[in-house]
Amino acid sequence: MRHIAMLAVAALAVATPVSAQTPAASTAPDYTKDSSWLCLPGRGDVCSTPLATTALNPNGYGSTGRSTVAKDPPLDCFYVYPTVSRDQGLNSDLKPSEEIGAAQTQFARFAGVCRTIAPLYRQMTLGAVAAYSAGQDISSAATLAYIDVLHAWRNYIATKNGGRPYVLIGHSQGSLMLQMLIAKEIEASPRLAARMKLAIMPGFNVIVPQGRLVGGTFKKTPLCSRVGETGCVISWVSFREKNVPPAGAIFGVSEQPGTTVGCVNPARPGATDWVPLDSYWYSRSNLPVPGGPVAWSSEGAPPSPYLRTEGLVSAKCVNDGQRGYLWIRTNHKPGEKWTDRIGGEVGILNMFLPGWGMHLSDMSEAQGDLIRQVGEISARSRTAARR
């Protein structure tokens, strides 16, 4: 059950009493109805809404633009959002609130390179994490969440995919759900496995034997080990440079001797040294940050809700025995106008939890790099379809 506790964004958890039973918060979702989907191609929703974004560089703020939606891209992106629900009980209802914000921040920009598909599901709530911490059994809540994702997936394949190649994208609880989907559903089907071009699943440990790319979490699906590779997994858990996951950490440490937590540099798969990242940040977050709120630029407040930085931060994969993690550092130099700090640590009750690392920035820190790689796959898919 330890892995179930790893799902949530503990910084947002509220210590309210929760029933040990999984409530019937809503009836099972009917994925034949558009209302059971957070994002679908060709309609107006959170994934097709342009996001105002300002470039931030060493000289300060640059131009402001808006995200775009590609016209009939040849590639699908199937997204499962992380733990965000504040609903009462162990499982969320199907009335999206926090889920919309998660999809906007983590997923909507992918609409520029692929068709965006995201189901609603009765995820384990932030309250479920509090319940687990209090010793309650939440295995039935985890099962319910996965059953919803599985049913959504099967509906997507049967009625929406049309034989197209696809990419899986998740974070935290969403990554766990996709891990289970790959291990139980996709690896069992050569047809489905062949169409999976990439699985992007940060914020949840993928376990592999030390020195190997496959085995452990997945029997057939390897970690990506080179630029341009497909049919593989990009996974990482973030920690600030010089911080090492402590013994018993939620992320970054495998419990199984002879194994480690897989780390793939999201900017350059296979890289073992520092690589600069192309990042998108939500500039109006009110989550706690070590050292206080981030001053994004000495020029003043950000002119838009989102910022793009190229090279502000760099990342390096580290594997040391049972530990595996992505180190993150900032590259601010004296006299530069952009920030010397970013957030990402998980704070609760005026403390930051060292075992969670920079969990809250997993997707933001390399989102531009991920979109670029998915875009390259989409372009290759279009070329192949024309032959």
Side-chain angles (χ1 to χ4, degrees):
M1 285 291 294
R2 176 180 180 272
H3 70 286
I4 294 176
M6 296 165 60
L7 308 169
V9 179
L12 304 179
V14 288
T16 54
V18 181
S19 169
Q21 297 181 349
T22 301
S26 63
T27 58
D30 180 357
Y31 292 110
T32 67
K33 296 181 178 179
D34 286 359
S35 59
S36 294
W37 297 84
L38 196 57
C39 297
L40 284 175
R43 77 174 188 187
D45 55 35
V46 64
C47 289
S48 62
T49 302
L51 303 178
T53 306
T54 302
L56 174 61
N57 56 59
N59 296 320
Y61 296 121
S63 60
T64 297
R66 292 183 178 273
S67 59
T68 61
V69 177
K71 183 178 180 180
D72 193 27
L75 185 71
D76 287 354
C77 288
F78 185 92
Y79 169 73
V80 184
Y81 47 81
T83 311
V84 291
S85 176
R86 295 176 179 272
D87 293 341
Q88 295 297 309
L90 301 184
N91 290 91
S92 65
D93 59 27
L94 297 174
K95 300 175 182 178
S97 177
E98 299 88 357
E99 296 87 344
I100 293 173
Q104 180 185 83
T105 300
Q106 294 191 340
F107 186 53
R109 293 182 192 280
F110 285 90
V113 293
C114 58
R115 297 199 315 161
T116 49
I117 297 99
L120 293 169
Y121 72 108
R122 291 170 293 176
Q123 70 165 208
M124 286 175 281
T125 61
L126 294 165
V129 179
Y132 177 85
S133 299
Q136 295 182 21
D137 180 4
I138 63 171
S139 57
S140 60
T143 298
L144 182 63
Y146 175 67
I147 287 173
D148 282 2
V149 172
L150 177 61
H151 287 170
W153 169 257
R154 288 177 174 172
N155 175 273
Y156 157 70
I157 289 296
T159 68
K160 298 173 175 62
N161 173 261
R164 301 159 59 91
Y166 62 86
V167 170
L168 302 177
I169 301 174
H171 178 243
S172 193
Q173 180 172 175
S175 290
L176 172 62
M177 296 294 125
L178 292 177
Q179 284 186 20
M180 297 170 68
L181 191 70
I182 292 173
K184 297 174 179 292
E185 192 84 353
I186 295 174
E187 288 193 333
S189 169
R191 177 178 56 86
L192 291 178
R195 299 213 303 272
M196 191 191 81
K197 297 303 180 182
L198 201 63
I200 299 169
M201 47 181 62
F204 200 90
N205 292 345
V206 170
I207 305 301
V208 292
Q210 293 175 20
R212 295 178 56 189
L213 299 173
V214 69
T217 299
F218 304 121
K219 303 305 180 186
K220 301 176 182 179
T221 311
L223 297 174
C224 298
S225 61
R226 64 183 185 276
V227 173
E229 183 179 4
T230 57
C232 56
V233 172
I234 297 179
S235 178
W236 71 95
V237 293
S238 305
F239 282 78
R240 198 173 295 272
E241 184 187 14
K242 307 300 184 185
N243 288 349
V244 174
I250 288 292
F251 300 115
V253 182
S254 172
E255 292 183 307
Q256 308 166 30
T259 67
T260 190
V261 178
C263 180
V264 177
N265 193 304
R268 189 187 305 159
T272 56
D273 207 344
W274 290 99
V275 179
L277 302 181
D278 182 353
S279 314
Y280 285 92
W281 309 100
Y282 181 55
S283 66
R284 297 175 184 174
S285 170
N286 59 6
L287 294 176
V289 175
V294 173
W296 287 101
S297 172
S298 59
E299 295 179 315
S304 67
Y306 290 94
L307 299 173
R308 181 180 184 178
T309 64
E310 296 181 80
L312 172 64
V313 296
S314 295
K316 175 184 178 179
C317 274
V318 179
N319 281 100
D320 180 13
Q322 290 170 237
R323 287 180 170 85
Y325 50 94
L326 187 74
W327 256 353
I328 300 294
R329 72 179 182 194
T330 56
N331 298 316
H332 171 93
K333 296 180 178 61
E336 293 180 342
K337 293 183 178 180
W338 61 4
T339 182
D340 61 352
R341 293 187 304 115
I342 57 169
E345 278 81 4
V346 175
I348 185 170
L349 301 178
N350 297 317
M351 298 181 295
F352 290 98
L353 308 180
W356 290 72
M358 298 179 69
H359 187 67
L360 303 182
S361 68
D362 286 326
M363 284 295 288
S364 296
E365 64 203 18
Q367 190 174 130
D369 295 294
L370 298 170
I371 292 169
R372 169 180 50 79
Q373 292 173 71
V374 173
E376 291 168 353
I377 293 172
S378 186
R380 292 197 297 270
S381 298
R382 188 180 297 280
T383 298
R386 289 172 177 170
R387 291 175 181 169

